[in-house]
Every structure is written in C-alpha cells, then in structure tokens.
Amino acid sequence: MFEKFSLNKGKTAMPKHEDTKSISIPNHVAIIMDGNGRWAKKRGLPRIAGHREAMKTIKRVTKEADRLGVKVLTLYAFSTENWKRPKAEVDFLMKLPQQFLNSYLKELIEQNVQVKAMGDLSRLPTYTLSAVNDAIEKTKANSGLILNFALNYGSHAEIVQAVKKIIREAHSPEDISEKMIADHMISPALPDPDLLIRTGGEIRLSNFMLWQLAYTELYFSEEYWPDFNEQSLQDAVRAFSSRQRRFGGLAEGSENP
Ligand code: V07
C-alpha cells in the first residue's frame, strides 16, 4: 500500500529559507503532540476544545516545516492505547481526521503536500477511514512535504505484526536481519526520523516508533501542543542543528553509544 522512495537517507537537507540558511534541517521530523487536554483545562475548557485547537497547530507547523525544508512530518494522532479513554472522547477523536480534512485538504493540495497514514487503520470507524483514504488518494501525486499521520499506531503492535509477517513468509532464522525487520514494519517506507519532538513536558516515548528512533535526536518541549508555533519549531530545529554541528565530525555512535 505504501510506495518506496529514497530521500537522501541518513543525510540532512540544506534549508530552503534565508533565515535558517546556516543550519542543517532534519529531513524527517516526528512529533508527539501532547498537552492538549491540559491546555484546555488551564482555560476551564473541556478536553475536546484542546483537541480542536491542536488541529490549528498542525496546520501552522506543517506550513512552517515545509518552509524550512523538512521533507517528512510524522504526527502521532492516535495511539493503540488511546482506545482506553472515555468513549465520548474516543468518538470525538475519531471525527477529527474528517474535520481536519474538511477544513484543510484543499489547502494541503494547493501546498503540494502528500498525506500518508500509518497504523492499524482497519480498526477505525468507516467514516474516519474513508476521510483518510480520500486524502491519501487526492494527494498521492503531490511531490512536496509528506504529512504522515500515525493513527491507531503503537510500536509494539507494529513489531508484533512485522514478526508475524516474517514467520508467515517462512524465513529461516539465519535469514533474519535488521534490514528484514525494518522492511516488514507497517510504517511506510520513509527514512527514519532525524528529530523527534514531544510537547507537553513529559519525557518519554510512549510506544512511538521505537525501532525507527534508534539514532534520532530527541527534543522535549514544556509547551502544550496548542501553544506550539513557528518559533517553537525553529527552536527545535536549531537545537537539532547545533547537536549535528557538535557531533558532526564523529561517525554515528562512535562515542558514548
Ligand atoms: C487528532 C489533534 C492533534 C492532537 C492529538 C490528538 C487529537 C489531525 C488528525 C488527522 C488524522 C488523519 C488525517 C488527517 C488528520 C487527527 C486524530 C486526532 C485521531 F488524515 N488531528 N487529529 N486524528 N487530534
């Protein structure tokens, strides 16, 4: 279902824009968009108000990531653990892809953005799945930023699914390699993230892309996701860039692995 493509793998891009000319831009940025409920609570609003605001942030950050020259933006929209939330909240969340796309798909198409999704999409309600598939279909010929939504995604589930696939293909143990495991992941054939951002102040990965984050720079922000803006993304990219500069001379993992 997902096409393969090569994206300057392992290297980072030169920035598209003047104001970030001398910094190295991560090709693939993945984001755990946390703090939406707390953002709402702080304002005396219901949690769902935070989720709604979160969609505006996605729009803002997608534009800025594209402007900076990021090639892939992966967003953790719904985890396999999120089903445990109150039913009313889950029902609300499942309507968000459709709402988001109703308001923004036209703009995404104009921006040449390519929408993708990763996760166990088969468990999503039909209306959610059709909205997502429609966006994937309508943007598949676009050649700009890839906006990849992790939906009903969990890293452990992804690894279990990869192992099942490999066993079904009846490989012998000697054939198993890191590449084979990587090739059987459900995540589309994207390069591994160069930078992971988690907003909302928690310092953990919460079952997100564990295999793919092995060498990724991690950046944790105290800001709640609805407060995250263009400047916040630039700050994260600058932090990434200065780490690249400091460790750039060393082969990956050659020191303090
Ligand atoms: C969701 C807003 C972002 C913060 C995290 C939780 C709530 C956008 C989407 C989406 C997904 C697929 C797609 C287009 C948009 C989304 C869910 C939750 C379930 F093709 N935001 N968002 N999906 N939230």
Side-chain angles (χ1 to χ4, degrees):
M1 144 168 213
F2 298 108
E3 317 91 285
K4 300 220 175 219
F5 67 100
S6 103
L7 226 177
N8 190 18
K9 212 172 181 169
K11 296 197 187 72
T12 50
M14 288 310 289
K16 246 185 189 175
H17 219 262
E18 284 292 314
D19 55 358
T20 45
K21 214 170 184 174
S22 59
I23 70 174
S24 56
I25 301 294
N27 268 324
H28 184 174
V29 177
I31 309 184
I32 302 175
M33 307 176 285
D34 201 12
N36 305 301
R38 281 171 286 153
W39 178 91
K41 194 175 174 196
K42 204 173 83 184
R43 286 166 175 72
L45 299 168
R47 285 175 61 79
I48 58 171
H51 296 319
R52 204 175 287 123
E53 196 64 24
M55 294 199 290
K56 295 187 195 158
T57 308
I58 294 179
K59 189 73 202 52
R60 207 160 57 222
V61 168
T62 302
K63 263 201 177 141
E64 180 65 6
D66 187 34
R67 192 186 74 90
L68 293 172
V70 171
K71 304 284 186 257
V72 184
L73 183 62
T74 293
L75 302 176
Y76 205 3
F78 193 87
S79 80
T80 48
E81 285 72 40
N82 286 160
W83 296 111
K84 295 180 200 143
R85 294 198 182 167
K87 186 177 180 303
E89 187 177 344
V90 171
D91 288 349
F92 179 84
L93 288 171
M94 283 301 134
K95 291 186 187 123
L96 291 185
Q98 197 175 27
Q99 267 189 35
F100 178 91
L101 294 164
N102 280 343
S103 343
Y104 296 131
L105 183 57
K106 192 168 165 280
E107 251 181 275
L108 292 175
I109 292 170
E110 282 162 11
Q111 274 177 60
N112 198 23
V113 168
Q114 208 183 331
V115 176
K116 285 185 184 269
M118 65 170 182
D120 183 2
L121 305 185
S122 70
R123 281 201 54 200
L124 301 174
T126 320
Y127 56 87
T128 311
L129 190 56
S130 358
V132 174
N133 279 336
D134 180 60
I136 293 172
E137 186 57 33
K138 285 187 174 139
T139 61
K140 70 175 182 204
N142 288 353
S143 56
L145 177 93
I146 291 170
L147 180 56
N148 180 36
F149 287 98
L151 260 181
N152 194 23
Y153 175 87
S155 196
H156 286 179
E158 181 184 37
I159 293 168
V160 167
Q161 177 271 160
V163 171
K164 282 184 181 168
K165 244 193 206 169
I166 291 170
I167 291 177
R168 251 184 248 121
E169 293 170 11
H171 292 287
S172 69
E174 295 71 37
D175 294 342
I176 310 288
S177 63
E178 291 187 13
K179 184 174 184 307
M180 183 182 290
I181 295 174
D183 288 347
H184 285 77
M185 293 294 196
I186 43 171
S187 41
L190 299 169
D192 290 340
D194 304 292
L195 171 65
L196 171 89
I197 300 170
R198 180 175 185 143
T199 63
E202 308 291 346
I203 318 290
R204 55 176 176 266
L205 295 178
S206 302
N207 203 20
F208 189 51
M209 297 184 89
L210 300 178
W211 175 274
Q212 297 87 344
L213 293 175
Y215 296 105
T216 304
E217 293 291 341
L218 310 179
Y219 182 88
F220 297 95
S221 162
E222 289 290 325
E223 266 179 312
Y224 296 144
W225 176 247
D227 293 326
F228 200 80
N229 60 22
E230 290 85 349
Q231 187 59 55
S232 323
L233 182 66
Q234 284 184 28
D235 291 346
V237 167
R238 267 178 225 287
F240 167 83
S241 180
S242 69
R243 292 185 211 170
Q244 291 284 114
R245 252 204 315 280
R246 262 181 285 140
F247 298 110
L250 299 167
E252 202 157 32
S254 66
E255 214 179 52
N256 304 322

